[in-house]
């Protein structure tokens, strides 16, 4: 596939010496969803702002659809839809007029059929004549997405799009994002909700202190770095971990009813067979056995900690 967004060695140093981006390189393929994860101040918004022409990089360069984001700003920006974190909408304007106006800003001819399609796709058609001030926070965010889509961009940046949105509406918006991807739109998502990235992203990029720590397919990342926990529920509670299990990295629950054993799915041997044999030799009867895969959140937290001095 072709990289529609190409960032090479991009840096950004603000007045006063704050380094917001440091030698960032990332290539984003056409038609994919990539989640950009990182703590507050990691550089997520600065990277998006640089690609959208809101701030000027101090070094390196970036292109969108082959157009340089600095020297070819107008052509690059015309390919981009941006949904910012902040809800900045004219409160007394109607929904449909707000979207129409945004399309006009990009020099696009009036297209009522397209506007209706976008509003229906975002479940806003019934609210088209409502004033912005009458909408809920979640609906206002949908209006922001509609504004970003009305000029038919090929790349959509979503900067914390579901912040402050309830769980049900958040999942509805995940479906909207998936539908947009199916229509060929490339989506770059920044989020604090790890489950959001886990649910909809094709690839995960982790950024911290202005640097990209890794970019990997979600499944590969979880397979490579993920661990599994084997939980063994016992028929009889134990006061301590049996001495015979000292060679294993097992922990006993507070109530003494279960043992937990963490193992690497990518290792040559998991040690599970030997562990179970030892339990049987000790005469410990088992009630149940279950495994749990490490979540993306656990992996993410581990990566951030590794990157800290």
């Amino acid at each position: 596939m072709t990289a529609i967004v190409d960032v090479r060695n991009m840096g950004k140093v603000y007045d006063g010496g704050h380094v917001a981006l440091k030698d960032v390189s990332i290539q984003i393929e056409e038609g994919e969803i990539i989640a950009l994860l990182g703590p507050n101040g990691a550089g997520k918004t600065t990277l998006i702002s640089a690609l959208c022409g809101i701030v000027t990089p101090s070094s390196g360069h970036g292109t969108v659809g082959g157009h340089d984001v600095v020297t070819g700003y107008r052509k690059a920006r015309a390919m981009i839809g941006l949904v910012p974190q902040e809800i900045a909408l004219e409160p007394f304007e109607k929904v449909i007029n707000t979207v129409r106006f945004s399309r006009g800003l990009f020099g696009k001819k009036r297209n009522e059929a397209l506007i209706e399609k976008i509003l229906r796709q975002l479940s806003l058609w019934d609210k088209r004549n409502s004033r912005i001030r009458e909408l809920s926070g979640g609906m206002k965010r949908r209006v922001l997405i509609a504004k970003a889509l009305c000029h038919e961009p090929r790349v959509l940046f979503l900067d914390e799009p579901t912040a402050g949105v309830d769980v049900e509406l958040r999942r509805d918006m995940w479906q909207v994002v998936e539908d947009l991807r199916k229509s060929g739109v490339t989506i770059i998502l920044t989020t604090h909700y790890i489950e959001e990235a886990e649910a909809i992203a094709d690839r995960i990029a982790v950024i911290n202190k202005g640097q990209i720590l890794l970019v990997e397919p979600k499944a590969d990342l979880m397979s490579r770095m993920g661990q599994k926990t084997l939980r063994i529920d016992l028929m009889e509670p134990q006061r301590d971990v049996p001495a015979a299990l000292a060679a294993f990295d097992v922990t006993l629950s507070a109530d003494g009813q279960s043992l937990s054993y963490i193992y690497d799915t990518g290792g040559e041997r998991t040690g599970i067979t030997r562990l179970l044999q030892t339990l049987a030799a000790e005469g410990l009867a088992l009630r149940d056995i279950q495994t749990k895969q490490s979540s993306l959140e656990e992996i993410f937290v581990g990566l951030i900690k590794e990157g800290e001095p």
Side-chain angles (χ1 to χ4, degrees):
M1 296 180 72
T2 305
I4 192 168
V5 177
D6 192 349
V7 180
R8 304 279 178 169
N9 307 112
M10 185 176 285
K12 176 61 182 177
V13 181
Y14 286 102
D15 293 342
H18 173 64
V19 179
L21 296 176
K22 185 178 180 181
D23 200 33
V24 170
S25 294
I26 185 171
Q27 289 73 50
I28 300 169
E29 296 178 347
E30 190 166 9
E32 76 169 326
I33 300 176
I34 186 165
L36 190 60
L37 300 180
N40 288 332
K44 303 186 299 295
T45 298
T46 299
L47 177 57
I48 287 179
S49 297
L51 291 171
C52 292
I54 298 171
V55 302
T56 303
S58 304
S59 59
H61 71 278
T63 61
V64 178
H67 305 294
D68 190 277
V69 297
V70 176
T71 60
Y73 164 73
R74 290 187 179 278
K75 289 183 177 179
R77 185 65 180 87
M79 299 184 68
I80 295 171
L82 171 62
V83 181
Q85 289 186 40
E86 300 80 12
I87 298 178
L89 297 167
E90 171 53 53
F92 296 100
E93 188 56 88
K94 292 182 179 179
V95 169
I96 195 165
N97 290 339
T98 297
V99 179
R100 284 172 179 155
F101 180 72
S102 289
R103 180 173 173 82
L105 286 176
F106 283 88
K108 295 283 188 175
K109 293 181 179 179
R110 189 160 176 159
N111 187 334
E112 293 302 298
L114 176 66
I115 298 298
E116 179 177 346
K117 177 183 176 182
I118 291 172
L119 292 179
R120 287 189 181 279
Q121 187 177 23
L122 293 166
S123 300
L124 286 170
W125 184 246
D126 291 343
K127 301 285 187 180
R128 62 188 181 279
N129 291 316
S130 298
R131 300 188 188 282
I132 298 296
R133 65 192 297 268
E134 300 167 357
L135 303 181
S136 67
M139 284 297 175
K140 288 176 182 175
R141 290 203 176 274
R142 288 178 185 240
V143 174
L144 289 177
I145 296 177
K147 279 166 55 67
L149 292 174
C150 65
H151 67 284
E152 302 165 88
R154 290 176 58 196
V155 177
L156 182 64
F157 288 96
L158 300 172
D159 197 4
E160 301 284 352
T162 59
V165 174
D166 63 59
V167 174
E168 184 176 356
L169 187 54
R170 193 183 307 160
R171 288 175 179 167
D172 287 346
M173 293 181 72
W174 293 353
Q175 186 59 55
V176 168
V177 169
E178 178 60 30
D179 291 343
L180 289 172
R181 190 261 294 274
K182 288 178 181 177
S183 70
V185 178
T186 302
I187 296 166
I188 297 92
L189 167 80
T190 74
T191 180
H192 279 98
Y193 299 108
I194 306 296
E195 74 273 18
E196 193 159 60
E198 198 163 356
I200 66 177
D202 300 309
R203 288 196 297 159
I204 304 291
V206 178
I207 185 171
N208 191 34
K209 296 181 180 179
Q211 294 182 290
I212 298 287
L213 301 183
L214 64 79
V215 184
E216 282 194 27
K218 176 182 61 181
D220 290 356
L221 174 62
M222 296 191 69
S223 175
R224 182 174 67 83
M225 302 191 68
Q227 294 178 320
K228 278 192 172 182
T229 300
L230 177 71
R231 174 175 161 174
I232 304 168
D233 293 331
L234 305 171
M235 292 293 292
E236 299 292 336
Q238 302 293 306
R239 297 184 64 179
D240 300 293
V241 175
L245 300 181
F248 300 90
D249 185 17
V250 297
T251 56
L252 185 67
S253 63
D255 61 7
Q257 293 280 6
S258 63
L259 294 167
S260 294
Y261 173 63
I262 298 175
Y263 62 97
D264 185 357
T265 57
E268 292 185 9
R269 295 184 178 182
T270 64
I272 292 175
T273 300
R274 192 161 57 90
L275 173 61
L276 295 179
Q277 289 173 343
T278 303
L279 287 169
E282 287 293 299
L284 295 174
L286 312 185
R287 183 188 302 276
D288 193 14
I289 296 177
Q290 53 186 301
T291 60
K292 174 192 172 187
Q293 177 76 43
S294 293
S295 70
L296 184 56
E297 180 169 13
E298 292 166 328
I299 296 171
F300 168 69
V301 170
L303 283 169
I304 295 299
K305 286 183 177 179
E306 286 179 14
E308 292 177 349

